[in-house]
Amino acid sequence: MRKKTWSLVLCAAMAASMMAGCGAKQETAATTAATTAAAAADTAAAATTAPAAEAAKPESKGNDKLVVGFAQIGQESGWRDAETASIQFYAGQNLDTIDLKFADAQQKQENQIKAIKSFIDMGVDVIGLAPVVETGWDAVFTEAKDAGIPIVLVDRKADVDESLYETFIGSDFIEEGKNAAIEMSNLLGGEGKIVELEGTVGASAANDRKKGFDDEIAANHTGIEILESQTGDFTRAKGKEVMESFLKTYGDQIKGVYAHNDDMMLGAIEAIKEAGFKPGVDIKTVSVDGVKGLFEAMAAGEANVTVECNPLLGEQFFTTCMKLKNGEPVEKWVKSDEGIYRQDTAAADLPNRKY
């Protein structure tokens, strides 16, 4: 019963987050923080009957709250919305110990940097962020270090010296790409021509998922030929647009498509159907994330495989932040638990998906 209640409340929080994001305008970090705090308070009040939320409450060794600034990328996908909802929901359920300052960067690095500088000025205990790209963080991370504020990277890495951040919480993107390559080879019987939809240029998830996939294909599946690889910016609309271009250029030569996330794949599936092909049959699909929409597509026979990347990192994130506040050691890489899901089990798996 406790698991069911938690799932219902978390889903409601995620839905609220997604609806709120549809027409969001760019805000300053301070304005967004205030808005988030109010939303978190409302969430907590609405969910006081959920006993599961009290089970793993972080405890500070001091009497003051854990104050965390989090600079999110934006709202590029359902996966990203689920991660945001997980973080905001957990903070909202623990208002007596956590004060979350939240900023939505609208997919722009300069907005994340401004938010981090704002958090430094506020004197938060810990700064968390999912970096929109890998490079360009040295200066602002150094500012945070000089101010004595530890940085936690969430789901995406930054190309900086390891001394500039405390830990990374998230997936092994290279392994995800490798697993996707193996799944694609299995679907195609070891040979065929495919196309690749890449994520945001410069993002660690895109870089590593491409490296893992391409390296595995080159080393162990030489019968697979990648016709072309192009960015779809992790969005459904761009994924559809790029897939339309691929289909116009290569037509029925394409036997498979690999996408760095499920949202791009869902856009690609639309393009495949509009071009008169059967996704999941004429053109095999492998993507990464594990969002509910892709499970629905697999259950309908229009997609084949998704390699999971778990966005529900709220509890892990705040537990890690509290350890840092209390001066406790943390691992340099806190890995997520994830799996691989295929078409044949999608219908049975679908009711258990939380995002």
Side-chain angles (χ1 to χ4, degrees):
M1 178 61 72
R2 293 175 64 177
K3 290 183 177 179
K4 183 176 180 181
T5 303
W6 168 260
S7 298
L8 289 172
V9 176
L10 181 56
C11 288
M14 289 177 184
S17 173
M18 295 176 196
M19 290 175 65
C22 294
K25 296 182 180 178
Q26 184 172 324
E27 300 174 295
T28 64
T31 302
T32 309
T35 302
T36 301
D42 291 341
T43 302
T48 52
T49 58
E54 301 176 1
K57 184 182 298 184
E59 295 182 3
S60 173
K61 290 181 179 179
N63 295 322
D64 55 328
K65 290 183 179 182
L66 167 68
V67 183
V68 176
F70 190 85
Q72 182 58 285
I73 292 171
Q75 299 168 326
E76 65 196 358
S77 65
W79 190 97
R80 184 66 54 194
D81 290 337
E83 180 185 78
T84 296
S86 176
I87 290 170
Q88 291 180 333
F89 180 82
Y90 192 85
Q93 290 301 296
N94 294 281
L95 287 172
D96 55 334
T97 58
I98 295 173
D99 182 6
L100 173 65
K101 312 295 184 183
F102 187 90
D104 182 334
Q106 303 288 317
Q107 281 77 39
K108 295 181 180 179
Q109 183 182 33
E110 58 266 33
N111 290 342
Q112 283 193 306
I113 291 174
K114 288 177 183 177
I116 293 170
K117 288 178 176 290
S118 176
F119 296 149
I120 294 171
D121 290 340
M122 292 178 193
V124 301
D125 296 312
V126 182
I127 293 173
L129 77 152
V132 65
V133 294
E134 279 193 295
T135 59
W137 301 104
D138 297 80
V140 72
F141 281 20
T142 299
E143 286 184 40
K145 183 177 181 179
D146 290 345
I149 302 173
I151 286 180
V152 176
L153 302 177
V154 180
D155 92 68
R156 290 191 186 181
K157 297 179 180 179
D159 185 12
V160 296
D161 189 273
E162 288 192 351
S163 66
L164 293 180
Y165 69 94
E166 291 298 324
T167 187
F168 166 68
I169 301 174
S171 307
D172 186 334
F173 300 135
I174 290 179
E175 187 69 14
E176 289 173 353
K178 177 181 177 180
N179 288 335
I182 294 170
E183 293 295 323
M184 180 62 78
S185 183
N186 290 341
L187 288 169
L188 296 179
E191 60 182 46
K193 297 179 179 181
I194 68 171
V195 291
E196 181 176 359
L197 292 168
E198 299 179 34
T200 302
V201 174
S204 62
N207 292 342
D208 289 353
R209 286 171 186 169
K210 180 172 178 60
K211 177 176 175 54
F213 186 87
D214 292 2
D215 287 357
E216 174 65 21
I217 291 293
N220 300 311
H221 312 278
T222 54
I224 304 293
E225 178 186 351
I226 302 174
L227 292 169
E228 190 172 344
S229 183
Q230 187 174 326
T231 180
D233 208 24
F234 282 130
T235 68
R236 186 177 303 198
K238 189 68 173 178
K240 180 180 180 181
E241 177 185 323
V242 175
M243 192 65 201
E244 287 172 341
S245 176
F246 285 159
L247 289 164
K248 287 178 182 178
T249 303
Y250 302 106
D252 60 6
Q253 292 183 65
I254 301 173
K255 301 304 178 185
V257 54
Y258 164 52
H260 291 187
N261 80 340
D262 289 341
D263 275 65
M264 288 191 296
M265 183 60 79
L266 291 169
I269 287 171
E270 292 179 24
I272 292 168
K273 289 193 291 186
E274 289 176 6
F277 297 100
K278 294 181 179 179
V281 180
D282 299 327
I283 299 176
K284 303 297 184 181
T285 79
V286 179
S287 53
V288 183
D289 273 355
V291 302
K292 188 173 291 185
L294 203 284
F295 275 81
E296 291 170 346
M298 288 195 295
E302 296 182 342
N304 301 105
V305 178
T306 183
V307 179
E308 185 178 38
C309 183
N310 187 2
L312 306 181
L313 304 177
E315 183 173 340
Q316 277 185 304
F317 172 64
F318 285 110
T319 298
T320 300
C321 290
M322 188 61 79
K323 286 181 178 180
L324 291 172
K325 176 180 170 64
N326 291 335
E328 300 173 23
V330 299
E331 295 180 359
K332 200 65 180 181
W333 186 352
V334 181
K335 293 188 178 182
S336 308
D337 293 327
E338 297 160 345
I340 298 173
Y341 295 88
R342 304 175 180 89
Q343 187 184 79
D344 58 349
T345 63
D349 294 329
L350 185 55
N352 300 318
R353 301 309 296 171
K354 295 181 180 179
Y355 59 93

